[in-house]
Amino acid sequence: MKRIRISFEYQCCPVWVYDEAGHLLYNGLPDGMQDDKVLAALCADLQYTYDALFVDDGKVFAYLGFASEAERDSFEKLVAVLRDRLAAICGDRYRIEA
């Protein structure tokens, strides 16, 4: 079974799609889900929030982290929403890993 992994990398969509052998197919929403506005917005919000945890000014690239536990909790709740929505839409075709 193919799998979807939710994982965060700077300036990348948090959704990674792997084949049955565990090889990365692509970074982004699976085929047929790119038009789902809720999924696309969740991915964009999470990516924006994650990228904002870093300073990247051309001279310095460094991790700053969350300003508060409340911000971290809010981020983790959005990750859970993304995971649950992906599972509801494609859980029979992909194994979801977060």
Side-chain angles (χ1 to χ4, degrees):
M1 176 179 274
K2 291 182 182 178
R3 66 185 171 104
I4 294 174
R5 189 170 132 233
I6 299 172
S7 181
F8 294 91
E9 297 288 335
Y10 187 70
Q11 295 188 345
C12 292
C13 178
V15 175
W16 301 79
V17 181
Y18 295 84
D19 67 13
E20 294 84 354
H23 299 108
L24 178 65
L25 295 174
Y26 53 91
N27 173 240
L29 290 172
D31 293 336
M33 291 184 216
Q34 295 90 350
D35 293 333
D36 186 313
K37 292 180 189 212
V38 173
L39 278 176
L42 277 169
C43 288
D45 286 348
L46 286 166
Q47 181 179 344
Y48 178 81
T49 300
Y50 183 79
D51 289 350
L53 299 175
F54 295 84
V55 61
D56 183 7
D57 64 8
K59 295 180 184 177
V60 175
F61 179 78
Y63 178 72
L64 300 174
F66 290 95
S68 68
E69 285 299 314
E71 284 184 13
R72 179 186 301 273
D73 291 344
S74 177
F75 183 81
E76 289 174 357
K77 286 178 185 175
L78 278 179
V79 172
V81 169
L82 175 62
R83 180 192 65 235
D84 293 347
R85 183 152 179 95
L86 284 168
I89 293 171
C90 64
D92 59 333
R93 295 175 292 167
Y94 295 89
R95 186 176 72 233
I96 311 298
E97 300 174 355

